Amino acid sequence: MRASSRYLLRAILAGADATGGDITTAIVVVAVMDADIGHLDSDPDLARRYATYEQAPPNGFRRPTSARAIAARLGLPYETVRRRLEPVIASGRCIRTSRGIYSPTLSRADHLVGAQANHIAIRRLLIDLQRRVPDEAWSPSVFTQTGADPFEPPLRLLNRRSAQFAVDLLSDISAAVGGYDAALVYMALLESTGRCEVVEPPPVIRISPLARSIRQPMESVRRRLAALSAQGLITREHDGYSARHDAAAEAVVGRLAVANLRHLRDFFGGLSRLGVTFAS
């Protein structure tokens, strides 16, 4: 969970920067992308054909979705999703048609930088997992692609698979902790706790640096930490919070841990099936 939180925080904050700083909007945009282009990877030949950044899939492959479908996928009210989509559509990051909403294929410099950063973040995630969970059969952390161009990293394929992983895991965390903003704070506390080796008792994290790390108002973070503590998911200490949970929350935390491991295995296993291998 700490390793996944570290990866997801990078992705969410990068997405929020591109959508005016709103966390929920960033997640809605990722869900639209997964809904309209994620199906491409059900065909291994198409997945490999449109794997690298230079080989962008034509917009004809997009399958427009609806705000209601995105709301159902994310467990959010329809009106929340509809309101978040309006400025995104106005900016051109999503397109509305008579058949629904889709995210157009992007080939801008800033999008390329983001795809490259995602590639690096996935490698870091693998290294993190290898260090923290050495008994699991994690693949080595250098990418090679057995597709159209073995010398180009499969940036677009990684973006598509990352979108599914992020939406699946974030929706699980959100449902468990009380919303996506709360999920962000919960993951930030897990990630901050996990920057060092796991020790007992868990280190105490102060509110101010935690808020700065996720670029959120301190009072907003304070309220969400208090709510998480009331649920028993974290512990209030004299000068901050720790990631230690109450016995009453053991079942919730355990389900999240199991779901996280399942999503990680699906993510890396899916990449392997699509021709992305990991070699030393």
Side-chain angles (χ1 to χ4, degrees):
M1 281 294 293
R2 292 187 180 98
S4 292
S5 293
R6 181 167 297 178
Y7 171 74
L8 288 175
L9 285 169
R10 291 190 183 104
I12 293 170
L13 293 174
D17 286 344
T19 56
D22 185 79
I23 300 301
T24 303
T25 300
I27 295 166
V28 167
V29 171
V30 173
V32 170
M33 172 189 166
D34 181 45
D36 71 37
I37 202 64
H39 69 90
L40 195 70
D41 298 328
S42 62
D43 184 327
D45 291 334
L46 287 177
R48 287 190 286 269
R49 183 185 306 170
Y50 300 113
T52 66
Y53 198 80
E54 295 302 318
Q55 296 297 319
N59 281 333
F61 281 105
R62 304 277 173 174
R63 292 180 179 175
T65 188
S66 68
R68 291 193 184 280
I70 296 299
R73 175 81 189 278
L74 295 177
L76 288 170
Y78 164 72
E79 278 300 317
T80 297
V81 173
R82 187 192 65 78
R83 288 196 307 271
R84 293 306 201 284
L85 281 172
E86 288 305 319
V88 175
I89 292 169
S91 71
R93 287 184 62 84
C94 287
I95 305 295
R96 179 188 284 122
T97 71
S98 59
R99 295 166 48 227
I101 301 161
Y102 71 93
S103 58
T105 297
L106 298 177
S107 298
R108 304 193 310 259
D110 58 338
H111 185 255
L112 172 58
V113 170
Q116 292 169 332
N118 184 51
H119 179 195
I120 293 169
I122 294 172
R123 295 176 63 175
R124 288 174 176 165
L125 172 60
L126 273 169
I127 293 169
D128 212 5
L129 290 168
Q130 289 171 329
R131 180 173 67 85
R132 295 175 185 277
V133 196
D135 293 339
E136 183 80 14
W138 304 114
S139 299
S141 58
V142 178
F143 284 103
T144 59
Q145 187 201 352
T146 57
D149 187 345
F151 300 104
E152 286 292 327
L155 298 183
R156 290 192 185 272
L157 190 155
L158 291 175
N159 274 2
R160 295 194 298 268
R161 295 302 85 222
S162 296
Q164 183 182 58
F165 170 68
V167 171
D168 287 344
L169 182 52
L170 282 169
S171 60
D172 283 345
I173 298 174
S174 171
V177 304
Y180 288 95
D181 289 329
L184 179 74
V185 174
Y186 181 65
M187 289 189 298
L189 185 65
L190 288 180
E191 193 275 337
S192 297
T193 300
R195 289 176 190 167
C196 57
E197 295 302 320
V198 178
V199 296
E200 288 295 339
V204 175
I205 308 300
R206 295 178 181 273
I207 298 173
S208 179
L210 189 70
R212 287 197 300 271
S213 73
I214 55 176
R215 303 194 287 276
Q216 296 296 300
M218 194 164 76
E219 282 306 312
S220 175
V221 172
R222 188 193 307 277
R223 288 195 303 272
R224 289 185 171 86
L225 286 168
L228 291 167
S229 178
Q231 296 173 68
L233 294 166
I234 63 175
T235 300
R236 176 75 169 97
E237 307 288 354
H238 66 282
D239 56 354
Y241 287 86
S242 80
R244 186 175 66 242
H245 59 271
D246 293 346
E250 181 66 33
V252 174
V253 175
R255 285 194 296 270
L256 278 181
V258 170
N260 172 61
L261 184 58
R262 183 179 71 251
H263 293 318
L264 284 168
R265 287 170 172 165
D266 288 347
F267 178 42
F268 291 117
L271 286 175
S272 180
R273 287 191 296 274
L274 291 172
V276 179
T277 58
F278 307 94
S280 303

